[in-house]
Amino acid sequence: VHLIEYKSGLYIKKRNTHTKIISHYERPSSRIPPLMTKSYDLHRNKSFHAQWNQSLLINEKASFLLRPDLLIMFEIVDVDPKESGASNTVTKGGLRYRDGFCHVAWAFLKPISITGKPHVGMDVQLQLMKYATRGQVFEQDVPDIPDIFYEWVYQRHFGYRRYPAVLNVRVSPAPSPKPKYAIGSRPMFPTEVEKGRLNYHQIQEAALRDQRRQASNPGYDSNNEAQNKISIRAIRRKRERYERCVVPTHVAAKIRQDEGCHVLKFSPDGKYLAVASSHTVMKDRKLFSIQVFFTSNLSLCHTFVAHHELIYDLKWDAQSESIISSSADHTARVFSMQLRLSDGMHVRDLNHEISLQHTTWVYTACFHPTATSPRLILTGAHDGYIRVWSRDNGDLLARLPKRLESVNSIAFAPNGRNFYSGDSVGTLTSWRDTGFDDEKFDPDDAMAWATRFIVTLSIVVEKKPINCVRFFKHPERVVVYVRGGGLYLVSMLRNQVRKHFQGVECRLNRLRFAVSPDDEQSFLIAGSEDGKAYIWDAVT
């Protein structure tokens, strides 16, 4: 996006040379540099229409910019790997290739026309144009005049060459943003101010506090990790089997992550906490790992470098010895933490056990709780299929009948006879494992696997995506987390919704919920997009 003076073709001058207009890292200059949106991947989004839906903030007064001599020019640019090394300008078939980029089309807008009619504060549809002239015309010695201005002048006199598409834009003034402090992170917007997590006085007070503790307790060491985690052990207590869970009221500890956490899962025995997070290793390259912590003191047990794309879900097996992860890199992977006896001591083997390759994004995966010969894994993917795999050798045993849309969550009953799946159109489907009832079931027969799991019931809870499915007290009662609707308690025997738990905000993200592990399953706790965790008393 270029802001140009209508007559001269130069970029618009700033009121103040040192004012940052488009970025916090903008160099001092007398004119407003061009702006750029984020890229839009047509192939990944499976669309023929690019939809950026982005707002570009210009930190300048609207009364100064919106004037009759302002010309806003838009260019659609793509990366061209074939011409990435070319420094000259070439125009072929209405496209322009220069400096490793392919200029696809362009458009222009005058916010205030010559007659004084404003095009501000409304949606405007702009006709896109092709590139018509040769590249040598634009190789000028004036750096503050963009090439697209010469293209506009040329076609204005000799006729516009229309590109078969339009661009929808909206230019409108916005309230002046207040200065915002970027604490602990690098600022991006021109109105942000970089600030450390602690100022000088806070650091000085922390040092004096350590000195006072050292004087009163000679054995105190502020860098001792064990002493820093005394508060965790102080508030922990062992709950008896017959007791109800207690609602947490204190922050026990914080696990620092570089770029946040995507999934958290406690092991069934309560000894481990699995954390799925991402780490930037190079520019525009991330690795997604699974970190396993001891819950006794939150010390790191092991880190599995798991995937190259986002991790959607984690599940433990019933023995707390294996983790299965589902990811956007088209795989579900199993990581083992089994104990073995070596020289009279128990040693834990930590390794990558198996990888299950899919053709699309894998949203959920879980272990079959009771199947032994062979051990089974079920996965749900974006293409709407639930796949049955052998955990022993990684073979695909069956692909269950396709549902309407992508399968977001799978939950097994404790007895393994039934499981439920929730998809992206709000359908909760009940499945039955007929292998329990058939004593003559042959695990080596491929046709037998295709008919082992059958659909017994489907309920449309709400016509919105189901984020998460969990069992509740009884194998025929299920709680689902619906995006934009809250939590619902569904009775599969009566084929109806029994309760609706409201209050949470979930419209964009794939948030989850958990059921308390006591015998009464007393509480439901769910995440919300307002930054809070909501807890309901499931009994009352």
Side-chain angles (χ1 to χ4, degrees):
V1 181
H2 308 270
L3 304 180
I4 304 173
E5 293 180 356
Y6 174 73
K7 296 182 178 180
S8 64
L10 297 171
Y11 283 113
I12 294 292
K13 281 188 176 182
K14 299 180 181 179
R15 289 187 305 158
N16 188 346
T17 304
H18 299 282
T19 302
K20 298 175 181 179
I21 302 297
I22 64 173
S23 172
H24 180 81
Y25 304 99
E26 180 180 335
R27 296 179 179 179
S29 62
S30 60
R31 300 186 181 274
I32 300 177
L35 297 85
M36 180 178 289
T37 66
K38 294 182 179 179
S39 62
Y40 184 86
D41 195 329
L42 294 172
H43 177 72
R44 175 172 292 183
N45 291 280
K46 298 182 178 180
S47 172
F48 292 100
H49 305 282
Q51 298 179 3
W52 288 274
N53 293 330
Q54 296 182 29
S55 298
L56 299 178
L57 176 65
I58 302 174
N59 188 28
E60 188 64 273
K61 282 191 174 182
S63 58
F64 174 76
L65 286 178
L66 299 178
R67 54 198 191 198
D69 63 338
L70 172 64
L71 180 66
I72 305 178
M73 307 207 70
F74 304 87
E75 279 192 283
I76 298 179
V77 182
D78 195 5
V79 178
D80 181 49
K82 296 181 181 179
E83 302 289 342
S84 58
S87 59
N88 58 334
T89 304
V90 181
T91 303
K92 299 178 182 179
L95 303 178
R96 171 156 300 135
Y97 302 89
R98 183 177 184 181
D99 296 331
F101 290 97
C102 173
H103 298 254
V104 181
W106 63 277
F108 68 93
L109 171 67
K110 296 192 68 178
I112 306 297
S113 65
I114 299 177
T115 59
K117 181 181 178 181
H119 300 104
V120 180
M122 64 181 71
D123 294 330
V124 181
Q125 192 175 79
L126 306 179
Q127 174 65 51
L128 290 172
M129 306 296 176
K130 296 180 180 179
Y131 292 87
T133 59
R134 296 182 179 180
Q136 289 78 6
V137 177
F138 307 111
E139 295 177 358
Q140 306 291 332
D141 295 330
V142 184
D144 290 333
I145 299 180
D147 297 346
I148 189 63
F149 175 75
Y150 296 106
E151 183 72 38
W152 174 73
V153 172
Y154 178 86
Q155 296 197 25
R156 184 186 176 195
H157 288 85
F158 297 100
Y160 292 103
R161 296 188 58 185
R162 297 192 175 188
Y163 187 89
V166 295
L167 179 67
N168 295 311
V169 299
R170 182 186 183 93
V171 179
S172 60
S176 180
K178 297 180 180 179
K180 181 181 177 182
Y181 291 98
I183 302 177
S185 62
R186 301 308 302 271
M188 296 299 296
F189 292 101
T191 56
E192 289 184 332
V193 180
E194 188 170 7
K195 184 179 180 182
R197 295 184 184 275
L198 299 175
N199 56 32
Y200 172 75
H201 297 289
Q202 290 172 328
I203 297 174
Q204 189 178 37
E205 289 178 1
L208 293 174
R209 194 183 308 117
D210 286 341
Q211 290 178 4
R212 290 193 294 268
R213 289 181 179 177
Q214 182 69 29
S216 60
N217 183 11
Y220 175 78
D221 182 7
S222 61
N223 295 320
N224 191 339
E225 185 178 3
Q227 291 180 349
N228 290 332
K229 294 174 180 177
I230 291 178
S231 60
I232 302 175
R233 296 196 298 269
I235 66 174
R236 285 178 57 87
R237 71 178 185 89
K238 185 176 181 180
R239 177 181 57 84
E240 299 297 336
R241 183 177 180 85
Y242 59 85
E243 289 183 320
R244 292 182 63 182
C245 286
V246 179
V247 177
T249 57
H250 297 83
V251 177
K254 297 181 180 180
I255 303 175
R256 187 176 299 279
Q257 299 291 320
D258 295 340
E259 300 178 4
C261 166
H262 307 295
V263 191
L264 286 168
K265 283 295 172 65
F266 283 101
S267 60
D269 60 6
K271 295 182 180 180
Y272 302 100
L273 173 64
V275 178
S277 57
S278 60
H279 310 275
T280 301
V281 293
M282 326 172 104
K283 184 180 179 181
D284 300 331
R285 178 175 175 81
K286 294 183 179 181
L287 284 181
F288 295 82
S289 61
I290 301 174
Q291 294 177 308
V292 181
F293 295 88
F294 293 105
T295 56
S296 58
N297 55 10
L298 286 185
S299 60
L300 182 63
C301 172
H302 189 70
T303 300
F304 297 102
V305 180
H307 296 275
H308 299 286
E309 294 290 345
L310 179 65
I311 298 176
Y312 289 114
D313 201 6
L314 294 176
K315 292 285 179 63
W316 288 86
D317 65 350
Q319 295 75 29
S320 301
E321 294 181 346
S322 299
I323 306 171
I324 186 169
S325 60
S326 50
S327 171
D329 63 0
H330 300 189
T331 63
R333 298 183 179 180
V334 179
F335 301 90
S336 176
M337 299 177 57
Q338 296 181 356
L339 284 173
R340 63 180 176 86
L341 193 62
S342 176
D343 297 332
M345 298 179 62
H346 287 285
V347 180
R348 188 172 294 278
D349 288 332
L350 306 170
N351 55 60
H352 174 211
E353 184 177 332
I354 199 171
S355 180
L356 309 176
Q357 185 65 48
H358 294 66
T359 58
T360 183
W361 306 302
V362 186
Y363 290 146
T364 183
C366 61
F367 299 102
H368 196 296
T370 57
T372 56
S373 56
R375 298 178 299 170
L376 300 180
I377 293 174
L378 270 69
T379 61
H382 177 72
D383 56 6
Y385 286 105
I386 297 176
R387 293 170 172 84
V388 183
W389 307 79
S390 171
R391 182 180 171 182
D392 299 330
N393 53 22
D395 291 341
L396 178 61
L397 302 177
R399 192 174 69 171
L400 305 186
K402 182 177 180 180
R403 308 314 301 155
L404 296 177
E405 291 293 339
S406 59
V407 180
N408 293 341
S409 183
I410 296 175
F412 262 99
N415 58 15
R417 292 179 178 270
N418 300 86
F419 74 91
Y420 296 90
S421 63
D423 58 24
S424 60
V425 293
T427 304
L428 179 64
T429 305
S430 173
W431 302 79
R432 182 172 180 82
D433 187 354
T434 60
F436 281 94
D437 305 326
D438 188 3
E439 298 179 354
K440 299 181 180 180
F441 179 78
D442 183 8
D444 297 327
D445 186 0
M447 295 300 298
W449 281 107
T451 58
R452 173 167 174 169
F453 298 92
I454 61 174
V455 177
T456 58
L457 184 65
S458 292
I459 300 176
V460 179
V461 180
E462 193 172 342
K463 293 182 179 181
K464 296 177 181 179
I466 294 178
N467 288 343
C468 186
V469 179
R470 295 281 188 273
F471 280 93
F472 185 72
K473 292 185 180 181
H474 189 274
E476 298 296 336
R477 285 188 177 182
V478 184
V479 180
V480 297
Y481 194 168
V482 178
R483 192 177 306 172
L487 275 69
Y488 295 86
L489 174 61
V490 183
S491 173
M492 304 303 290
L493 288 176
R494 298 186 179 182
N495 193 10
Q496 64 179 5
V497 176
R498 298 294 301 276
K499 292 182 181 180
H500 184 196
F501 303 93
Q502 303 181 17
V504 292
E505 295 182 9
C506 179
R507 300 183 182 277
L508 301 176
N509 300 306
R510 193 168 177 260
L511 303 182
R512 300 168 181 82
F513 74 98
V515 183
S516 59
D518 55 350
D519 292 340
E520 294 295 328
Q521 293 187 333
S522 307
F523 302 103
L524 299 175
I525 180 169
S528 177
E529 290 179 353
D530 59 2
K532 301 177 182 178
Y534 286 78
I535 303 178
W536 295 270
D537 190 328
V539 178
T540 60

